[in-house]
Every structure is written in C-alpha cells, then in structure tokens.
Amino acid sequence: MVDRYAEAVRMRRAELTAQRAGLAGHRAEVHTVCGLARASAAMQVTTVVGALTAESTRYLDRAGRADRARFPEHARAAADRAVDLVVQRVEGRLLPELRRIATVRGLPMDVVDTGPPEATDLTLPSVPPPARPWQVLSGSRTVLPWLGVPIVGAPAVTGTVGPAVGCGAVLLGVTVATRWVAAERTRLRQWIPGVAAVVRAAATSALVARLVHVEQRVVAALDVAVAARLAAIDDELAALAAEGSARARP
C-alpha cells in the first residue's frame, strides 16, 4: 500500500525546497526595479515641469493687479508641489513592483516600507525688477505731442484746445496703464523659465536621492524577512527529517 504520510512528507519537502530556492535574488530584483524607475523619471520630470510652465503662463495671461503681485508667492508654492508630485508619481509606480518582489517569495507586503520622503528646499531665482516709468513711456510718442499743445500755445489757448488736451491726457493714461500691465506680465513671464529650471534640477536630484534611499531601505527589510523565512523553512525541513528518521527506526 502507498504510505500516504511518507508521500505527504515528500511533497512538503519539495514545496519547502522550492520556496527556499525562490527566496534568492531579491537584491538584484530591487536594484533592477529601482534602476528602471530612475530611467523613466526623466519623463515624469518633463511632464510636471511642462505643466507648471503652462499653468503659470495661463495664470499671468488673466491675472489682475493683485494676482500679479501674489504670483511669486504662488509660484514658489507651486514649485514645491511640483517636486513633491514628481516624487509621488515615480514612487507610486515603483511601490507595486517592490511589493510584487515580496509577495512572490511568500513574504507579507508590509515588509516593503519606503518611509516618508524628505522635504526639498527650493531656492528660486530672483524676480526681475519692475519696469521703470520711462521704459513704459518710451513707446508713447504718438500720444505725448497732444500734451505739448498747451505749452506751445499757452497764451492763446482757446476753448477748442481744451478737449484735445483732455483727450490726449486720457489717451496717455490709458496707454501708460496698458503698457505697464504688459511690462509687468512680460517681466513675470521672463521669470518662469528660471523657476522651471530650478524645479527640474530639484526634482531630478530629489528622485535620485529618494530612489537610493528606497532601494537601501527595501533591501535591508527584505534581507531580514528572507533570513527569517529561511530559518523557518530550515527548521521545518529539519523537523521533517527527524520525524522521518524516527518512523524509520524498527
């Protein structure tokens, strides 16, 4: 008759031996997965920086005076969020792969704990200085002659000159205001590429540091979990061998 107990012991030994062999290679897999994440990080950085640039430009196109004054503050907050977003996106795609490495080895997913990311301090370039009044007026030669009318003909000012002077003053005011808004928007738009460059560099640096940290942390955690699992397997194999020896004695 078939010894069902001996057959079950043999199957269990084969299963444990296969599990033991499958525990190897976790370090190389983690290194490969983190390397692939590092290679794809450039695309995430480009995507987020491009979105930040486009959003900043749209904001300035419709920003009023108060919004333009607050733009540098908003841009700094958006730059910080952009760096964090890049790290979160890359890590969000990396984490399932790291958990897969644990689960295929029969280890719990909570072994993979990447820990909280470190805060990134950004130093943005200085905002370009505001335009000078004469820079705004330099293109208003078509309006300024109207204001010269009362100077040239001051002694002979008549009632017909007043409306022209008033019209010239209003037109000059509108022109100056329009040119001032355009100059302010141009000044702030010139600042955006510098902000984007800082975000790109900071996000790239933060990702490199974060992936190195994650790889070291996950490998260390898996080392501990694999060692514990190997010890449990060896203990069970030893117990099966001892029990088999005891049954074989007459």
Side-chain angles (χ1 to χ4, degrees), residues 40-54 82 85-86 89 93 200:
S40 65
M43 181 180 64
Q44 293 294 335
V45 172
T46 299
T47 300
V48 171
V49 170
L52 175 64
T53 301
L85 179 60
V86 170
R89 284 187 176 182
R93 296 186 177 185
R200 181 182 296 276

Side-chain angles (χ1 to χ4, degrees), residues 99 102 107-113 221:
R99 288 175 173 169
L107 304 174
M109 286 194 304
D110 57 8
V111 170
V112 178
D113 179 15

Side-chain angles (χ1 to χ4, degrees), residues 128-142:
R132 304 298 182 184
W134 58 83
Q135 294 174 326
V136 177
L137 291 171
S138 61
S140 303
R141 296 192 181 96
T142 57

Side-chain angles (χ1 to χ4, degrees), residues 79-80 83-84 87 117-123 198-199 201-203 205-207:
D80 288 333
V83 174
D84 293 340
V87 174
E118 295 183 1
T120 303
D121 293 329
L122 294 182
T123 302
V198 169
V199 170
S205 177
L207 277 174

Side-chain angles (χ1 to χ4, degrees), residues 3 5-6 9 13 239-250:
D3 188 342
Y5 176 80
V9 169
R13 282 178 178 173
L240 290 174
E243 189 174 349
S245 299
R247 286 175 58 87
R249 293 194 189 106

Side-chain angles (χ1 to χ4, degrees), residues 20 23 26 107 219-235:
R20 198 180 195 289
L23 289 171
H26 63 279
L107 304 174
V219 165
L222 287 175
D223 282 345
V224 173
V226 167
R229 182 60 183 150
L230 283 173
I233 291 174
D234 290 342
D235 289 344

Side-chain angles (χ1 to χ4, degrees), residues 128-237:
R132 304 298 182 184
W134 58 83
Q135 294 174 326
V136 177
L137 291 171
S138 61
S140 303
R141 296 192 181 96
T142 57
V143 180
L144 290 176
W146 285 100
L147 298 181
V149 172
I151 299 174
V152 175
V157 172
T158 64
T160 59
V161 177
V165 174
C167 180
V170 171
L171 184 57
L172 178 63
V174 171
T175 302
V176 170
T178 302
R179 290 181 181 274
W180 181 264
V181 171
E184 279 291 283
R185 286 178 173 163
T186 300
R187 174 177 74 93
L188 294 174
R189 285 195 193 99
Q190 292 172 348
W191 187 54
I192 293 176
V195 174
V198 169
V199 170
R200 181 182 296 276
T204 302
S205 177
L207 277 174
V208 171
R210 179 62 178 164
L211 290 175
V212 169
H213 171 78
V214 166
E215 181 176 349
Q216 292 175 346
R217 185 184 178 98
V218 170
V219 165
L222 287 175
D223 282 345
V224 173
V226 167
R229 182 60 183 150
L230 283 173
I233 291 174
D234 290 342
D235 289 344
E236 188 173 352
L237 286 173

